[in-house]
Amino acid sequence: MCAPGVSAIDPEHWENPLEFYPERWAGKKYDESDEKVDFGYGLVSKGGNSPYLPFGAGRHRCIGEQFANIQLGTIISTFVKEFKWTSNKQVPKPDYTVITL
């Protein structure tokens, strides 16, 4: 059994688990290469190696996980396309000279 709500606030796994601290994920890697199983909606890992379980684990793992990961790419690409990106640094002019040796 897995209870994402319990493991998400467990001080055994997380320092200050009740604080909003997104940097806690920087540099953390959990092995998701464990055995993969097809529960009828595609091949997924059992997902029990990490204490972070946003999609659950095992047989009752969320069937929308793969869709959510695809949607993240779509959302990020939309941000990149729609935002007006500016830089406060001046871009150097291109130098088209050829160096001969």
Side-chain angles (χ1 to χ4, degrees):
M1 300 249 319
C2 95
V6 174
S7 65
I9 60 170
D10 188 353
E12 181 181 327
H13 296 291
W14 312 111
E15 183 178 324
N16 302 323
L18 298 177
E19 290 182 19
F20 179 72
Y21 181 64
E23 291 81 14
R24 76 178 73 217
W25 304 110
K28 299 252 182 177
K29 293 195 178 202
Y30 292 98
D31 186 20
E32 286 287 331
S33 64
D34 60 349
E35 182 182 350
K36 296 193 184 273
V37 180
D38 187 353
F39 294 116
Y41 49 83
L43 198 62
V44 295
S45 70
K46 289 184 178 178
N49 289 344
S50 170
Y52 177 63
L53 301 168
F55 296 101
R59 174 177 282 285
H60 299 287
R61 191 167 182 152
C62 179
I63 63 172
E65 178 179 10
Q66 294 169 345
F67 179 70
N69 288 329
I70 291 171
Q71 286 300 98
L72 285 173
T74 305
I75 291 167
I76 291 171
S77 65
T78 302
F79 282 159
V80 169
K81 178 183 171 207
E82 297 296 326
F83 280 151
K84 293 190 180 206
W85 299 93
T86 60
S87 173
N88 56 0
K89 295 182 180 179
Q90 194 164 8
V91 179
K93 295 191 181 218
D95 181 8
Y96 295 111
T97 59
V98 176
I99 299 173
T100 57
L101 299 174

